[in-house]
Amino acid sequence: AQSVTQLGSHVSVSEGALVLLRCNYSSSVPPYLFWYVQYPNQGLQLLLKYTSAATLVKGINGFEAEFKKSETSFHLTKPSAHMSDAAEYFCAVSDNKNFGNEKLTFGTGTRLTIIP
Amino acid sequence: EAGVTQFPSHSVIEKGQTVTLRCDPISGHDNLYWYRRVMGKEIKFLLHFVKESKQDESGMPNNRFLAERTGGTYSTLKVQPAELEDSGVYFCASSQEGLATFTDTQYFGPGTRLTVL
């Protein structure tokens, strides 16, 4: 069975500082990995996804994540936080048996607060 | 292009009542998923439709939940009778059919917040 662990349910960073949100996964098959973001009163929006191509994945809004198989990690980073980054972030995993059309297994989410 | 829409955005019902949630996927998307987030916990998969067929319903909690997808278009999720533990946010997502070298994205709706009193 697949699982995702997100360390830190709440993370606060100062505006302009590095954002690092941690995600570790467990999967018995080569996984697909995703980061979604949920802004207040909105649905989940895909930030980026890893699908076995390049291990460093660039997403929207300046975010990127690196797939590290040896560490079973897929941490999300952004060099400089902006006030508009305040949201809840979800890491998710799926297996690749059906070209991505499989259920997602999510972590518990990390709420990011940006300090002015 | 319109995104995934869900109705209602909020629903407050009493224990024992029936509630029906609706999801309209992105036009042309064959895959439709339902997920649920109970307060403070992870978003959990409920079921997956491919067109009008249930591909995977392993996440449905019990037989009080009934999902349908009429003609492969919109989907409904009925809870009957509702219990207190059914409270949470119900998300719907849709995606196109994947190809051999292409991985599609699940696009999520804004969710329906269900409160059972």
Side-chain angles (χ1 to χ4, degrees):
Chain A
Q2 297 171 317
S3 66
V4 174
T5 301
Q6 290 185 242
L7 290 176
S9 58
H10 291 82
V11 171
S12 296
V13 301
S14 298
E15 190 175 14
L18 171 72
V19 175
L20 170 60
L21 304 183
R22 298 179 187 275
C23 172
N24 288 86
Y25 71 92
S26 172
S27 178
S28 58
V29 298
Y32 288 164
L33 293 158
F34 306 81
W35 275 99
Y36 281 86
V37 59
Q38 185 180 24
Y39 298 103
N41 301 315
Q42 296 186 28
L44 279 74
Q45 179 182 1
L46 182 71
L47 273 179
L48 49 81
K49 61 185 179 184
Y50 166 77
T51 57
S52 74
T55 57
L56 182 61
V57 181
K58 294 187 183 299
I60 62 171
N61 301 336
F63 284 93
E64 63 182 36
E66 186 172 8
F67 172 69
K68 291 187 176 180
K69 184 178 178 181
S70 61
E71 298 177 7
T72 60
S73 69
F74 191 58
H75 302 329
L76 182 70
T77 60
K78 182 174 180 178
S80 176
H82 191 272
M83 295 301 294
S84 61
D85 295 327
E88 190 161 20
Y89 293 78
F90 296 91
C91 183
V93 63
S94 74
D95 66 42
N96 60 7
K97 290 186 298 185
N98 193 24
F99 314 118
N101 291 307
E102 291 287 343
K103 63 184 178 185
L104 297 174
T105 299
F106 284 89
T108 50
T110 298
R111 186 169 297 279
L112 177 65
T113 300
I114 310 298
I115 303 167
Chain B
E1 180 181 311
V4 177
T5 58
Q6 294 186 245
F7 182 83
S9 57
H10 293 83
S11 180
V12 180
I13 61 173
E14 293 192 350
K15 176 182 172 180
Q17 290 186 322
T18 297
V19 63
T20 300
L21 313 181
R22 173 170 171 146
C23 169
D24 286 79
I26 294 172
S27 177
H29 280 192
D30 288 335
N31 293 282
L32 187 149
Y33 308 81
W34 284 98
Y35 294 86
R36 176 175 73 172
R37 189 184 193 196
V38 172
M39 180 73 74
K41 302 210 171 168
E42 70 271 30
I43 300 168
K44 281 196 171 180
F45 168 81
L46 295 178
L47 87 160
H48 170 202
F49 284 100
V50 177
K51 297 184 180 179
E52 67 275 9
S53 300
K54 293 176 184 175
Q55 178 81 5
D56 181 357
E57 51 185 328
S58 62
M60 294 289 265
N62 51 61
N63 59 9
R64 295 185 294 103
F65 289 74
L66 175 64
E68 295 180 323
R69 189 176 183 193
T70 306
T73 56
Y74 70 92
S75 174
T76 58
L77 180 64
K78 180 189 288 188
V79 185
Q80 179 182 29
E83 298 289 345
L84 299 179
E85 63 265 26
D86 301 332
S87 295
V89 180
Y90 290 76
F91 292 101
C92 176
S94 71
S95 69
Q96 291 180 318
E97 191 63 31
L99 303 174
T101 57
F102 176 74
T103 302
D104 208 342
T105 297
Q106 291 186 28
Y107 296 90
F108 281 76
T112 293
R113 183 175 295 278
L114 174 64
T115 302
V116 183
L117 302 176

